[in-house]
Amino acid sequence: MTKIVNLTPHSINLLVDDKEIIIPPSGTIARAATQRKQIGAIKIDGVDVPVNKTVFGDVVGLPDPKPDTIFVVSMLVAQAVPHREDVFIVDDTVRDDEGRIVGAKALAHV
């Protein structure tokens, strides 16, 4: 059986086959450092609007791979470590009537 470690600050509610699986936060939050780098500008109404690119830095809080263990992280962290096959994000989100995310139907790789 696969162990799931939630490295986000909130519970994850997986809604699969009419069941709700709640994965509480582990207490560790994986984060990726980011830096904005201006790569150009676009002139709009006579004003130069900066065009930036996000550059990812080091990821902190993400453990080394472990057998039979997956880590659920934010999209930003997952994008910073695309080579990690044990890193997942929530996918196919479910929203309530007011548009708030209340769960997800799947997990995904970036």
Side-chain angles (χ1 to χ4, degrees), residues 3-99:
K3 178 179 178 182
I4 301 173
V5 180
N6 177 357
L7 297 175
T8 73
H10 49 80
S11 290
I12 294 170
N13 300 325
L14 293 176
L15 307 170
V16 181
D17 294 334
D18 295 328
K19 291 184 180 180
E20 181 177 24
I21 303 164
I22 299 174
I23 305 165
S26 67
T28 300
I29 300 172
R31 299 201 183 275
T34 59
Q35 181 181 22
R36 287 183 183 85
K37 179 179 177 183
Q38 185 172 343
I39 59 171
I42 298 172
K43 191 170 288 290
I44 300 174
D45 292 334
V47 176
D48 285 333
V49 177
V51 174
N52 296 333
K53 177 179 180 179
T54 300
V55 178
F56 297 109
D58 293 335
V59 171
V60 295
L62 178 61
D64 291 332
K66 297 178 184 175
D68 301 317
T69 302
I70 65 169
F71 302 100
V72 181
V73 300
S74 68
M75 174 70 82
L76 187 66
V77 171
Q79 289 173 331
V81 292
H83 59 283
R84 292 279 302 261
E85 296 197 17
D86 60 337
V87 172
F88 291 80
I89 59 168
V90 295
D91 191 40
D92 199 6
T93 54
V94 177
R95 296 179 184 269
D96 66 13
D97 292 338
E98 295 182 19

